[in-house]
Amino acid sequence: MNPLPGIRIADFTVHNAGPFCTPLLSQLGAEVVKIESAMRPDAFRKPHPVYGRMGPATFDQVASTKLSVRINLKKPEGVALAKRVVAVSDVAAESFRPGVIGRLGLGYEDLKAVKRDIIMLAVSSSGQSGPDRHFAGYAPLFGAWGGLGEMTGYADGPPIEMRHVMDHTVGMNSAVAVMAALHRRRATGEGALVDVSAREVASSLLGEALLLAAAGEEPHRMGNAHPRMAPHGVYPAAGEDRWLSIAVDGEAERQALREITGSADLSDEALSVWTRTQDANAAAECLQAAGIAAHASWTTPEIAADPHLRERHAIVEVAEPDGKRRAAVGVPMRLSKGPEIGIHRGTPKLGEHEDYVYGELLGMGREERTALEEAEVIY
Amino acid sequence: MPDSSPPLSGLRIAVRASGVAAAYAARLLSTMGAEAILLEPAEGSPLRCEPPFLPGSEVSALFAYLAAGMRSAVVPDGGFGGLLSEADVFIDDTPLAEREALGLDEATVARRHPDLIHVSVLPFGAHGPKAHWKGTDITVLHASGEGYLLPNGLSCELFPGRPPVKVYGHFAELQGSIAAALGALSALWVRPEAGGQYVDVASQDAALAVGAFAIQRLGDGSVEHRVERSFRYGGVIPCADGYVELLTLEQRQWHGLVELLGKPDWSQDPALEDSLERSRQGPVINRHIREWASSRKVEDIVREGQKLSVPLAKYYTPAEVVRDPHEQVRGLFQPVETGAGVFDMLVSPFQFDGAPFALRGGPPALGDYTGGAAR
């Protein structure tokens, strides 16, 4: 059985970090109502020129498995309608800059007034408090503020900008926090304001380096090197832009590697001489058979086609509205009593589920809905 | 008034961890109030010996961070039953091939502890053709996509021929941790109806999940590559005394950037009002931005830029993060006894009801838990 049946989330999140939380929960059985409007459609419904996408996305991972309704939050009637959705929800999720949702009249106190035990998830770049709380930010900035960007990169090069993995790490942390809040509500009957700071999520990924810094050390980026394992890195394989990642742990593994490569020299340069002659996938299998951690550096098409990932439902097939099939990423777990978890609905059309949400859940008649549509509240 | 008790008070976690993924999963739950007992062999978890070490000591900074607030029970092989019978959740990274002999395989644990949430955390999971594969952070990262896609931006421009570079630390393994924590809490949620169950988490799956955008773009007909996925303009910008990150996605942010730059002539081209045209002219725009930034200081650029709502951030060093006034106000760090001194340690990346969580303490001494079934 799905683990989260009966949990409903009013989803006001935008961009990627917040929106990645709610589809994880929806794939686990929660019902997520995505709230947007024709005036401010979600980013995936528009071109994204900075990323080079010159039109709307035909599929959006973070919008899949969600229901869509239109609400114009610029109008007081829209705010009132949003509160009605919240009143039948367990969780309200938002990812505006701190203060924005409150100015809309949908802050935590406003929502508690309509649902006493509501759990409000607020995802932001720097959290809801502190001198930098107003800072605008996206994934690369989270990584920069949090220290992860500075610590990533070649030892003699500049820092590296984190991309969507940073956003989505924030989203997955947010899902953990929401689940914890639900457990507390079950135990105490109390809701919660859950404040997730994206830059702090980035920092949480380098806790040991921060501890070293607190102790007076100066940790620095070290490329692909490891503080204990050697050889450890990414090595050229046969073919253009083919690479093999290898992590050798201990003397027994080093000896096994010497036997495989036929060389006593395990310097990166010497190992590269061997790897350049090897097919990356075949070499990884060979090294694994000898007890050495290794894997080819996979391109996205290789990942999408991998039988292991498909058997685990980490990669699944989804259908677009025109019937075209494509690969998507499933919720990253398998449950012995929940084999049905995962993506069960594609990307919704704007307002696709208003009959269910407004009609069935809120009990609104056709006349009331039409009036709100004409007033550009449902818009 | 909101309840001030940590959200997972009363929850008991047993964790057997030789790697980062299982340990941090328990740490996440422990920081939110669960009682976590680290089940260790007599010689201690291998994580205790994992570098880096705190200065002048043999205390692993990694272990200290991962195990902060936990207790430690020394448990001989095969003697896990008592502590598992007291736990709500068991998190385990024992290699598959060793589990049956230890009585830690899925079927045995389910039979002996039918209400237990049994969370397996392995590099490639407990099911599938590669379930037995050995994995470390770097190999899992390259098995899940992001490994091939870094570096991008400035670093890729400077070093086009170098091998891909990994994300610092234990990025892929920590994704497994977060997914495991999510799986544990989800399975617990339905335990009153379903009873205990087995949660199979792979760090590979979790790292792939957070890299989902590459799979999405593949479906759009575009194969991501580290060379091409640089931002058209913005990104890592070298300044006179360091680096800033710049990313403007919205029109008003572009206008703020133009103002920050002093409205130079090139920026007044009406064609640049169109975001698609800016994308096309990205390399030219970036040349202008880099030239402008090269003689200015990071702090000045960030301060003035954020005033104009231009998304700009300094690349903070770890020491700057620890000293950051913003994080001090938010209570991100808490002083704890590590065994090598009292140092500030990151507590949790999220807060409830406007207050940070609190760590129960630093890393446990080996075998400091002698309560309950461990006696």
Side-chain angles (χ1 to χ4, degrees):
Chain A
M1 65 190 299
N2 268 329
L4 307 183
I7 298 295
R8 184 173 298 125
I9 301 173
D11 186 1
F12 298 91
T13 60
V14 294
H15 295 299
N16 278 308
F20 189 72
C21 164
T22 46
L24 291 171
L25 298 173
S26 70
Q27 290 189 57
L28 291 165
E31 187 173 81
V32 177
V33 180
K34 182 175 179 57
I35 294 163
E36 52 184 327
S37 75
M39 288 178 66
R40 287 182 64 89
D42 194 279
F44 78 87
R45 300 194 195 276
K46 299 181 286 190
H48 209 320
V50 175
Y51 296 147
R53 191 183 77 219
M54 301 308 194
T58 56
F59 170 81
D60 184 60
Q61 181 78 39
V62 301
S64 64
T65 321
K66 294 183 180 179
L67 310 176
S68 171
V69 300
R70 297 166 297 158
I71 303 181
N72 180 357
L73 296 175
K74 294 287 188 189
K75 290 181 176 271
E77 300 91 334
V79 173
L81 180 58
K83 287 181 178 176
R84 291 176 68 180
V85 176
V86 171
V88 296
S89 300
D90 302 280
V91 178
E94 65 98 2
S95 60
F96 298 109
R97 272 212 246 183
V100 170
I101 198 86
R103 288 196 291 276
L104 286 171
L106 295 168
Y108 182 47
E109 297 301 325
D110 301 309
L111 299 188
K112 276 204 299 186
V114 297
K115 184 73 188 294
R116 187 194 62 79
D117 62 353
I118 194 73
I119 291 164
M120 184 158 190
L121 168 69
V123 179
S124 60
S125 67
S126 300
Q128 301 295 311
S129 61
D132 297 349
R133 66 185 179 280
H134 62 288
F135 275 13
Y138 301 106
L141 285 81
F142 309 155
W145 278 314
L148 189 62
E150 173 69 22
M151 290 294 286
T152 299
Y154 304 115
D156 58 348
I160 302 284
E161 60 203 15
M162 298 293 112
R163 298 296 293 273
H164 294 88
V165 293
M166 189 67 254
D167 278 325
H168 297 161
T169 304
V170 175
M172 195 149 65
N173 269 278
S174 300
V176 172
V178 166
M179 285 307 307
L182 283 166
H183 279 280
R184 187 177 77 170
R185 191 189 69 170
R186 175 182 273 176
T188 68
E190 296 296 334
L193 173 60
V194 178
D195 172 10
V196 178
S197 159
R199 71 200 270 180
E200 293 172 1
V201 170
S203 294
S204 72
L205 303 175
L206 63 148
E208 75 281 8
L210 297 174
L211 185 59
L212 282 178
E217 297 283 283
E218 293 182 3
H220 54 273
R221 54 182 170 267
M222 51 198 294
N224 288 323
H226 187 275
R228 182 176 54 79
M229 289 189 258
H232 185 278
V234 184
Y235 302 89
E240 187 180 350
D241 198 31
R242 295 296 291 169
W243 307 91
L244 174 65
S245 61
I246 303 174
V248 182
D249 191 355
E251 188 49 37
E253 291 187 18
R254 276 190 283 277
Q255 185 54 35
L257 184 59
R258 288 186 191 101
E259 290 170 14
I260 289 170
T261 61
S263 169
D265 184 354
L266 295 183
S267 66
D268 284 348
E269 295 73 20
L271 187 53
S272 296
V273 171
W274 177 75
T275 58
R276 280 182 203 283
T277 66
Q278 305 295 309
D279 172 80
N281 284 308
E285 288 194 24
C286 171
L287 293 168
Q288 287 280 349
I292 298 169
H295 203 284
S297 183
W298 267 355
T299 63
T300 311
E302 285 176 294
I303 289 167
D306 179 41
H308 177 75
L309 290 167
R310 288 195 173 241
E311 189 167 322
R312 294 185 55 75
H313 301 158
I315 293 285
V316 295
E317 288 275 329
V318 296
E320 295 199 60
D322 64 1
K324 180 187 161 197
R325 307 287 294 179
R326 62 188 292 160
V329 174
V331 64
M333 66 188 70
R334 292 164 48 87
L335 301 178
S336 62
K337 294 181 179 175
E340 67 272 48
I341 64 171
I343 296 176
H344 54 82
R345 189 185 296 116
T347 303
K349 292 179 196 156
L350 183 63
E352 182 179 344
H353 301 97
E354 291 172 0
D355 284 347
Y356 169 69
V357 175
Y358 294 151
E360 292 184 39
L361 292 183
L362 301 188
M364 293 169 65
R366 185 64 257 176
E367 195 175 323
E368 183 183 7
R369 288 172 57 189
T370 301
L372 289 173
E373 286 171 353
E374 288 174 350
E376 296 185 345
V377 173
I378 298 177
Y379 181 67
Chain B
M1 287 290 291
D3 187 280
S4 59
S5 60
L8 300 181
S9 292
L11 189 70
R12 289 180 64 100
I13 313 284
V15 54
R16 192 163 192 265
S18 60
V20 168
Y24 187 67
R27 163 67 144 80
L28 270 174
L29 301 176
S30 166
T31 304
M32 290 192 289
E35 181 183 13
I37 311 294
L38 183 63
L39 313 184
E40 300 191 77
E43 67 275 20
S45 163
L47 285 166
R48 290 181 181 273
C49 303
E50 194 67 28
F53 297 101
L54 287 167
S57 79
E58 294 181 347
V59 175
S60 163
L62 181 64
F63 178 77
Y65 175 60
L66 295 173
M70 295 187 197
R71 308 293 298 277
S72 161
V74 172
V75 184
D77 285 355
F80 305 104
L83 283 165
L84 295 196
S85 68
E86 294 180 349
D88 299 291
V89 176
F90 174 45
I91 301 171
D92 187 23
D93 67 2
T94 304
L96 278 181
E98 300 171 19
R99 289 186 179 180
E100 191 169 344
L102 296 168
L104 296 179
D105 56 293
E106 177 184 354
T108 301
V109 172
R111 189 172 65 251
R112 292 178 180 167
H113 309 283
D115 289 327
L116 185 67
I117 305 302
H118 180 186
V119 183
S120 167
V121 194
L122 292 168
F124 295 93
H127 173 85
K130 283 185 173 171
H132 289 272
W133 272 42
K134 194 169 182 178
T136 67
D137 194 71
I138 194 169
T139 65
V140 172
L141 198 64
H142 282 272
S144 54
E146 194 66 8
Y148 183 75
L149 294 174
L150 286 178
N152 46 35
L154 180 61
S155 192
C156 204
E157 286 177 38
L158 293 171
F159 308 110
R162 288 192 183 179
V165 70
K166 77 184 292 292
V167 185
Y168 166 80
H170 301 270
F171 183 84
E173 294 168 300
L174 290 168
Q175 304 304 330
S177 310
I178 302 161
L182 178 60
L185 293 179
S186 301
L188 269 172
W189 184 258
V190 77
R191 187 170 66 166
E193 294 81 29
Q197 64 175 308
Y198 186 62
V199 181
D200 170 13
V201 171
S203 293
Q204 182 193 25
D205 297 353
L208 168 62
V210 297
F213 195 67
I215 298 293
Q216 180 175 317
R217 294 204 69 190
L218 181 69
D220 296 339
S222 171
V223 178
E224 287 216 309
H225 189 281
R226 57 191 175 279
V227 173
E228 282 95 25
R229 81 167 179 167
S230 304
F231 294 122
R232 297 300 186 267
Y233 59 93
V236 180
I237 306 293
C239 307
D241 59 347
Y243 298 92
V244 295
E245 177 65 35
L246 165 68
L247 179 56
T248 55
L249 296 183
E250 299 178 17
Q251 192 74 2
R252 60 185 170 80
Q253 295 167 344
W254 165 253
H255 290 156
L257 175 61
V258 168
E259 193 169 336
L260 177 68
L261 297 172
K263 298 183 179 175
D265 290 346
W266 64 265
S267 70
Q268 302 303 301
D269 180 355
L272 294 179
E273 275 300 293
D274 176 20
S275 62
L276 300 182
E277 184 58 27
R278 290 201 296 273
S279 181
R280 291 185 198 101
Q281 294 196 33
V284 175
I285 294 172
N286 236 13
R287 274 203 301 277
H288 289 301
I289 294 172
R290 288 180 184 175
E291 185 182 338
W292 173 86
S294 64
S295 60
R296 288 170 170 80
K297 291 187 173 179
V298 167
E299 299 284 2
D300 296 338
I301 290 174
V302 171
R303 185 180 60 253
E304 296 305 315
Q306 283 286 351
K307 273 188 202 167
L308 296 165
S309 294
V310 179
L312 275 161
K314 179 179 184 182
Y315 273 90
Y316 280 150
T317 66
E320 288 171 323
V321 175
V322 173
R323 293 195 303 264
D324 184 10
H326 177 78
E327 300 304 3
Q328 288 179 7
V329 167
R330 285 180 55 78
L332 181 62
F333 297 94
Q334 174 188 328
V336 297
E337 173 56 59
T338 62
V342 176
F343 302 117
D344 280 346
M345 181 182 287
L346 187 142
V347 180
S348 169
F350 36 79
Q351 303 184 350
F352 277 33
D353 305 321
F357 295 116
L359 293 167
R360 288 192 177 89
L366 183 63
D368 72 350
Y369 179 78
T370 55
R375 264 194 292 263

